[in-house]
Amino acid sequence: GAEFQIGVGTPQENACLSSSPLETNDYDDEQEVSFVYCNFNKFLKNNPETMRSWIRILQEVPNSILCLLENPPEGVPNLRKFVTEVTDDMSNLNDRIHFLPWEKNPFDHQQRSYSLCNVMLDSHPYNGHTTAQDSLYAGVPIVTRSDGDDMSSRVSTSANVVLGLDELNASSGSKEYENIAIRLGTDETWFSSIRAKLMETCLQKDPMHPYWDVPRYVENFQSGLTIVWDRFLDGKEMDHVEVVEDGDGEGKLRGTMEVELVAKEEKRQEMKRKRKHMNDEL
């Protein structure tokens, strides 16, 4: 087939870069991939319960495939062995699990999510952190378990709450996690509405959506650090810090406007030109 190009083709067409995504041998061209689930975390972030959930999801969504990252490559045989043992090798499920090579350039890896993934299945008990953001930046929704107690198990839960995608948070555990993923893979209307909702947050302007508003986050984070420092100088005991934003007089919280982003970018480009000029004179 044609060489893979980022931004070209659907996840189903690109099929985790596999020439035979549904069968190991004698692939039938008429048999098409229905849905692509992905997880690009290190294997060590998952446990047997999570892998069993992924197996059930594949079993319940005909012609779906699971696209994983070879991280590390030495773990692939162990993972395949586990799948064979759990399924008794009756369904040849390993034929629908594929692995991508590691990309040394994180930007190259991040760009692949859009072209290769319909939905990201989050890791448990240790969520995706950077990989979760890679997914969301690409407009790929994340299904996650929300029944963990540690911060590392609730990262994607927090992201989905801020993005207004609470329906992708499985608060009751693995069964709900599986059912959400299965519905996304079999209910095209619901999947499309979820993805549209995510994309709307990315495209929102004047003000930016809170999740994507990095300048707003930086300013609030700086305010929080200032509060902590002032408390330290005053000799106060450690305590929780709450940063309260100023409203705009109409009961709404402010956010970064497009004109501010343009001004910041112009300033950044001007500083870049000055640095280049200084370097040229050296």
Side-chain angles (χ1 to χ4, degrees):
E3 184 178 350
F4 169 68
Q5 297 181 50
I6 291 174
V8 177
T10 66
Q12 288 90 333
E13 292 168 339
N14 291 320
C16 199
L17 309 188
S18 173
S19 58
S20 54
L22 298 176
E23 295 183 75
T24 304
N25 299 307
D26 300 324
Y27 176 56
D28 182 358
D29 289 335
E30 295 181 358
Q31 195 174 22
E32 298 179 350
V33 173
S34 65
F35 203 79
V36 183
Y37 297 101
C38 292
N39 181 287
F40 295 151
N41 293 320
K42 297 177 181 178
F43 295 153
L44 59 82
K45 284 194 172 186
N46 303 304
N47 59 16
E49 183 182 17
T50 299
M51 194 64 220
R52 287 190 179 92
S53 287
W54 295 351
I55 289 172
R56 177 172 178 262
I57 292 166
L58 289 180
Q59 290 173 330
E60 294 296 322
V61 183
N63 287 359
S64 62
I65 65 173
L66 177 62
C67 187
L68 304 175
L69 188 66
E70 288 181 338
N71 196 4
E74 294 80 3
V76 173
N78 296 327
L79 190 147
R80 290 205 180 280
K81 179 182 177 183
F82 179 83
V83 173
T84 299
E85 291 173 348
V86 170
T87 62
D88 295 325
D89 203 25
M90 296 297 292
S91 58
N92 295 321
L93 208 62
N94 267 312
D95 292 348
R96 292 161 56 196
I97 300 176
H98 306 280
F99 297 86
L100 293 176
W102 174 260
E103 285 282 1
K104 294 182 179 179
N105 186 329
F107 184 68
D108 290 341
H109 169 65
Q110 178 183 332
Q111 290 186 100
R112 297 192 296 186
S113 296
Y114 172 79
S115 302
L116 298 178
C117 306
N118 291 125
V119 160
M120 195 69 68
L121 298 177
D122 201 14
S123 295
H124 184 85
Y126 201 114
N127 285 178
H129 288 57
T130 303
T131 53
Q133 304 315 306
D134 291 344
S135 170
L136 294 172
Y137 289 152
V140 179
I142 303 175
V143 181
T144 190
R145 285 180 55 172
S146 304
D147 55 327
D149 296 325
D150 300 321
M151 182 279 292
S152 60
S153 67
R154 300 183 64 83
V155 172
S156 299
T157 293
S158 297
N160 282 340
V161 168
V162 177
L163 290 166
L165 296 172
D166 304 62
E167 56 266 63
L168 301 184
N169 292 339
S171 58
S172 62
S174 60
K175 185 68 173 179
E176 184 181 6
Y177 170 84
E178 296 163 13
N179 288 340
I180 293 171
I182 291 168
R183 184 183 175 191
L184 286 167
T186 55
D187 187 337
E188 185 176 350
T189 300
W190 192 54
F191 167 70
S192 297
S193 69
I194 291 293
R195 189 169 186 279
K197 188 185 296 186
L198 173 58
M199 295 303 296
E200 286 171 5
T201 68
C202 301
L203 299 174
Q204 179 179 315
K205 296 181 179 180
D206 295 330
M208 295 178 68
H209 189 278
Y211 189 81
W212 306 110
D213 196 341
V214 175
R216 179 181 179 183
Y217 173 85
V218 170
E219 186 173 329
N220 287 332
F221 186 59
Q222 289 174 333
S223 297
L225 293 176
T226 301
I227 294 172
V228 171
W229 180 244
D230 289 342
R231 287 182 60 86
F232 171 75
L233 294 179
D234 293 339
K236 296 180 179 179
E237 295 182 359
M238 289 189 296
D239 198 0
H240 295 291
V241 170
E242 181 179 3
V243 177
V244 180
E245 294 181 298
D246 296 327
D248 63 359
E250 298 178 1
K252 298 180 181 179
L253 295 178
R254 65 175 184 80
T256 302
M257 308 299 280
E258 186 70 13
V259 65
E260 296 177 75
L261 291 176
V262 172
K264 288 177 183 293
E265 179 60 20
E266 290 177 349
K267 183 177 180 180
R268 189 181 74 84
Q269 292 296 335
E270 179 61 25
M271 293 177 64
K272 185 177 180 180
R273 286 191 292 269
K274 288 182 178 179
R275 285 196 300 270
K276 184 178 184 305
H277 180 68
M278 292 174 62
N279 291 334
D280 290 342
E281 290 183 338
L282 293 177

